[in-house]
Amino acid sequence: MDETLDPARRSWVATANDHPEFPIQNLPFGVFSPPGGAPRGGVAIGGRILDLGAALDAGLFSGEAERAAAAAAGPVLNPLMALGAGPRAALRRRLSGLLAADGAERARVERLAPRLLPARAECTLHVPAAIGDYTDFFAGIHHASNSGKRIGREPPLMPNYKHVPVAYHSRASSVVVSGTPVRRPAGQRVRAGAGAPSFGPCERLDFELELGAWIGPGNALGEPVPVGRAAGHVVGLCLLNDWSARDIQRWEMPPLGPFNAKNFATTISPWVVTVEALAPFRQAQRPRPADDPRPLPYLWDDGDQREGAFDVAIEALIETAAMRERGTGPHRLALSNVNHLYWTLAQMVAHHTCGGCNLRPGDLFGSGTISAPERSGFGSFAELSDEGRTPLALPTGEQRSFLEDGDELVLRAAARRPGCVSIGFGECRGRIVP
Ligand code: MN
């Protein structure tokens, strides 16, 4: 823990103090466009974004921090992600010092504020990296178990589940930033009672409450990443909604897995919440029940088991058109926690690379749907409505089994711990359009 995490540190950027998501202890990286400007790297601080290019031009950095700021100032963060933890942490320390209320250079930086710190609400946020590859895991054990139960599998988990961090290679080109409308996909599905498939709009459009992980330094082709060093390949986290067309999925899955059911859109929150900012919220991985198999040695590291999990509350909310009209605000569908994941991010990295597959800076992992054990924490409509058999009653009097046109789905997260300043992730939001 260094001074950037000091809970007593305040910022001269007034909106940062007591900000529920972006206090000075967070400082997540993102890519934004100021009004009329081109995409560039920035750092969220309260209600503002620090423009890294403008700060570089003002000569505010030197050494390692300058190298990292230059790598983060462009239209994608891949060069920053490639640098690794040293320069990134140096930049974080420098930014924290520049923005601190008692910082030595406060007067100088505050004078630059008008061009250095545009208001976040006036800026457009972008997907923060050029995503080469996107892999979606299945590490939410309660979601995996619920999926098995719904189709009557006994036991509900597949025999490989507790041995293999299961995943599929998903689609990078359709990853979109929060706020991008999501068009209801059309596809091939077999309607209830029909013997043959038909083509048309998805009738079982779902969300998945997931964590995203940004890969930093990559590994060379043919050189696996050992699990004990795997955490160092993760730069930071975001929220990820793996939109899923359940009717299309059910028909197309066998035998090679999801395809069109999941490749039409994946929404992510725009900010890369760094592992440095999340350090206070690390915790031990939940102990495996005594009768669970011990993972193979390439997936096991004592240090990773001690601190490889994250205590981050994660929630999904729906805002229907009726809720918007009435101004009631969104309704919570699920509240869960990232610490329900059965596999750590380090285990995912180790498994992904164990056969020699190379990861590259800016690759994106999805965790899998993070359902809690109880219904109030189920992270998809398939689970919440039992595949449409038990529609959910909403406070407006509406019912939902799956998403309807005009519905907005919002993911949020908060990391909290006594004695620490809470941080958030920003929203992961998308509205369904016909
Ligand atoms: Mn998923």
Side-chain angles (χ1 to χ4, degrees), residues 24-273:
I24 193 170
Q25 287 79 8
N26 194 346
L27 302 178
F29 292 97
V31 172
F32 74 101
S33 301
R40 65 197 68 190
V43 172
I45 175 79
R48 302 198 164 262
I49 301 174
L50 185 135
D51 184 328
L52 287 165
L56 270 171
D57 292 345
L60 295 177
F61 304 111
S62 63
E64 287 263 275
E66 182 174 13
R67 191 155 75 96
V76 289
L77 295 180
N78 302 62
L80 173 74
M81 291 168 167
L83 284 182
R88 188 174 71 236
L91 174 57
R92 174 180 166 82
R93 283 194 297 276
R94 177 61 177 158
L95 289 168
S96 180
L98 290 170
L99 294 166
D102 57 359
E105 290 156 88
R106 171 175 175 170
R108 175 186 168 206
V109 188
E110 217 172 346
R111 271 197 305 277
L112 299 169
R115 62 193 176 90
L116 207 60
L117 288 159
R120 197 152 42 81
E122 290 169 12
C123 298
T124 306
L125 286 152
H126 305 283
V127 172
I131 304 169
D133 282 288
Y134 156 42
T135 304
D136 196 25
F137 282 82
F138 194 50
I141 190 168
H142 305 297
H143 171 76
S145 176
N146 288 338
S147 307
K149 282 178 197 158
R150 272 202 314 282
I151 57 168
R153 191 164 51 222
E154 183 48 46
L157 291 173
M158 297 287 275
N160 62 1
Y161 191 83
K162 291 180 174 178
H163 298 274
V164 181
V166 172
Y168 63 99
H169 288 296
S170 194
R171 187 73 193 171
S173 67
S174 54
V175 176
V176 296
V177 76
S178 177
T180 308
V182 173
R183 186 176 298 184
R184 178 178 297 274
Q188 191 180 138
R189 69 279 195 269
V190 181
R191 290 170 132 165
S198 56
F199 184 90
C202 168
E203 293 171 346
R204 297 191 159 213
L205 186 53
D206 204 352
F207 71 98
E208 290 193 330
L209 173 58
E210 300 197 25
L211 186 73
W214 290 103
I215 298 300
N219 59 302
L221 182 65
E223 293 182 14
V225 177
V227 63
R229 294 212 303 268
H233 290 258
V234 176
V235 176
L237 307 180
C238 66
L239 296 169
L240 185 149
N241 181 353
D242 174 25
W243 303 100
S244 298
R246 299 294 179 204
D247 43 359
I248 297 168
Q249 183 179 1
R250 174 159 291 218
W251 175 236
E252 76 175 6
M253 279 263 286
L256 286 185
F259 184 49
N260 284 344
K262 286 170 180 276
N263 70 8
F264 59 94
T266 301
T267 303
I268 58 170
S269 58
W271 297 105
V272 181
V273 179

